[in-house]
Amino acid sequence: MKTSVLYKKIEHRRAPLLAPPPKISFFSRSRECKSMLPYSSAAEAEAALGRAMTFAEAAWLRYSATVPDHLLYCHNVAILLVVYTLAPLPLALLEQLTPQAVTSPIKLQPRVRLSEAAVFRCYLDTAWVLLLTVGMLGIVSFPVVKMVGIRTGLPLPTLGEAAAQLAVYLLVEDYLGYWIHRLLHTKWGYEKIHHVHHEFSAPFSYAAPYAHWAEVLILGVPSFTGPAIVPCHITILWLWFVLRHIEAIDIHSGFEFPFNPTRFIPFYGGAEFHDYHHRVGEKSQSNFSSVFTFCDFLYGTDKGYRYHKASLAKVCMWMPNIHALDFHNFI
C-alpha cells in the first residue's frame, strides 16, 4: 500500500514532464514578450471590438502581436533616420544637379551653393547625432511612454481622431518651441549650443535637424509634450514625428515653391519666414516660431521680418528683376 502511494506521488511529479507541451500561438507569445495585446486570438479581438476588424487593424494585430512594446516604440529611431535620408534627397538633387539659372527664381538665396562634400558632411554629422541622441532617448524614455498612456493595441484611431491629435501636437510644439528657441538665442544659449544649427546661414534640406546634440534633446521636449498631454496610439506617434520632421525640412529647404500646398495652411510660416531668421543669424530677434507665425506676431518678434518685407516691396517697384537676386544686400 505504501509502495503504491509512493508510485502515485512519483507519477504525479513526472506527469508534467511527460505531458505534451501546450500549443503557443503568436498571440500568447506576444504576452511573453511583454506586449500590451490583451487578446489571445483574432476572434477574441473582434469580439472585444464588437465588430469585424478593418484590414489595417488585422494587419496591425498580426504585426504588433509578435513585437515587444519597447521595440515598437524604438521604431521611431529607424523611421526618423529613413525619413531624414530620403525626404531631403529630391531638394538636394535639385540644388546640386540643376543649373543655377533654373533654380534662381525659386531659391531664396540663389548666390549660395554648397559643394557636394559639404552636404554629405552635414548628412553624416546629423545622422550620427540623431542616432546617438534619439536612439538613447528611445531606450530610457520608454517607461515614460507607458506612463502617459501611449497605447499599442486595438482599435486603431479614426482619421478624425488622428487629425485632432496631430493638430494639438502642432500647436503645443509650436508654442513651447517658440520660447525654447528664444532662450537658445540668448548669449549663453547661442554660444554654447545653438550656434551649431546656424553654421549654415543659407538653410538647405539636410540641415534641418543639424544641431548640437544638446539642442536635439532639448527640442525633443516640446515634440513629446503634446502626446503626453493627449495620449495617442503608437502609430500616430510615429506619424507625428514624421510630420514634424518633414515640416522642418520644408522650412529649411531654401526654396519658395509657388505650388507648395502649405501655402493654404493658415498662419504657416514656411521656408521664406525661417530663411530670414537664418540670414540674420546670431543677432536675430525675429521669426522664432517653427511652424506657425502667430507667436511671433503676438509677442512682437516679427517686426524685423515685416520691415524687411516692406523694404523689399519698395525695392521691387524699382527693380522688377529683384527676385532673381540674392536678398542679403537688402537685410
Side-chain angles (χ1 to χ4, degrees):
M1 182 67 180
K2 292 182 180 180
T3 304
S4 61
V5 172
L6 179 61
Y7 179 78
K8 288 181 180 180
K9 289 182 179 179
I10 294 174
E11 287 300 306
H12 178 71
R13 292 173 181 173
R14 290 180 179 177
L17 299 176
L18 299 176
K23 293 182 178 180
I24 302 177
S25 67
F26 69 91
F27 295 99
S28 58
R29 280 200 302 270
S30 68
R31 289 178 175 174
E32 295 178 3
C33 294
K34 298 182 180 180
S35 171
M36 291 183 184
L37 184 70
Y39 316 116
S40 59
S41 66
E44 185 178 328
E46 291 185 335
L49 292 173
R51 57 172 174 80
M53 289 187 292
T54 64
F55 175 81
E57 287 173 333
W60 175 253
L61 183 63
R62 287 192 298 270
Y63 178 74
S64 63
T66 58
V67 181
D69 279 354
H70 68 277
L71 289 185
L72 286 175
Y73 175 61
C74 287
H75 281 32
N76 283 326
V77 181
I79 292 172
L80 183 62
L81 289 175
V82 170
V83 172
Y84 173 63
T85 300
L86 299 180
L89 186 58
L91 293 168
L93 293 176
L94 175 65
E95 183 167 358
Q96 293 295 322
L97 303 180
T98 308
Q100 191 169 359
V102 177
T103 59
S104 288
I106 57 174
K107 199 168 187 302
L108 292 167
Q109 299 187 45
R111 292 182 183 177
V112 180
R113 199 178 186 94
L114 294 175
S115 66
E116 294 179 3
V119 174
F120 189 60
R121 178 189 65 82
C122 173
Y123 168 76
L124 290 180
D125 290 348
T126 305
W128 178 243
V129 170
L130 289 176
L131 182 62
L132 289 180
T133 56
V134 180
M136 292 301 296
L137 191 63
I139 295 174
V140 301
S141 64
F142 176 66
V144 179
V145 171
K146 293 190 68 175
M147 181 181 67
V148 300
I150 302 297
R151 61 187 184 88
T152 60
L154 296 176
L156 291 180
T158 64
L159 290 177
E161 181 183 357
Q165 290 172 338
L166 291 174
V168 171
Y169 302 164
L170 280 168
L171 293 172
V172 171
E173 197 279 339
D174 190 63
Y175 186 79
L176 295 180
Y178 169 85
W179 289 106
I180 291 176
H181 197 177
R182 287 190 67 169
L183 289 174
L184 289 173
H185 270 268
T186 60
K187 182 177 176 60
W188 186 91
Y190 191 91
E191 292 180 354
K192 300 297 183 181
I193 299 175
H194 195 50
H195 73 278
V196 176
H197 182 65
H198 276 272
E199 284 182 16
F200 299 101
S201 60
F204 63 100
S205 55
Y206 277 111
Y210 180 80
H212 192 282
W213 63 267
E215 182 170 347
V216 176
L217 293 177
I218 292 170
L219 293 180
V221 174
S223 295
F224 188 71
T225 300
I229 296 173
V230 183
C232 62
H233 195 271
I234 188 71
T235 55
I236 302 302
L237 190 67
W238 296 345
L239 181 60
W240 160 235
F241 288 137
V242 169
L243 179 67
R244 181 65 187 88
H245 195 70
I246 291 177
E247 186 274 334
I249 293 171
D250 176 62
I251 66 173
H252 288 87
S253 67
F255 290 96
E256 184 70 7
F257 297 104
F259 50 82
N260 193 328
T262 58
R263 287 175 172 267
F264 300 99
I265 301 176
F267 305 108
Y268 183 76
E272 184 182 3
F273 186 82
H274 194 68
D275 191 85
Y276 175 80
H277 175 81
H278 271 265
R279 289 179 194 173
V280 180
E282 179 180 2
K283 297 180 180 179
S284 177
Q285 294 299 318
S286 183
N287 297 21
F288 293 109
S289 296
S290 59
V291 183
F292 303 108
T293 60
F294 54 80
C295 279
D296 282 295
F297 176 77
L298 290 174
Y299 300 112
T301 50
D302 65 343
K303 293 179 180 178
Y305 174 69
R306 285 189 285 155
Y307 177 81
H308 168 69
K309 293 281 288 183
S311 300
L312 285 179
K314 293 179 181 179
V315 172
C316 288
M317 291 177 61
W318 300 100
M319 301 174 62
N321 295 325
I322 190 65
H323 190 67
L325 300 175
D326 187 352
F327 292 158
H328 268 300
N329 297 328
F330 301 98
I331 295 179

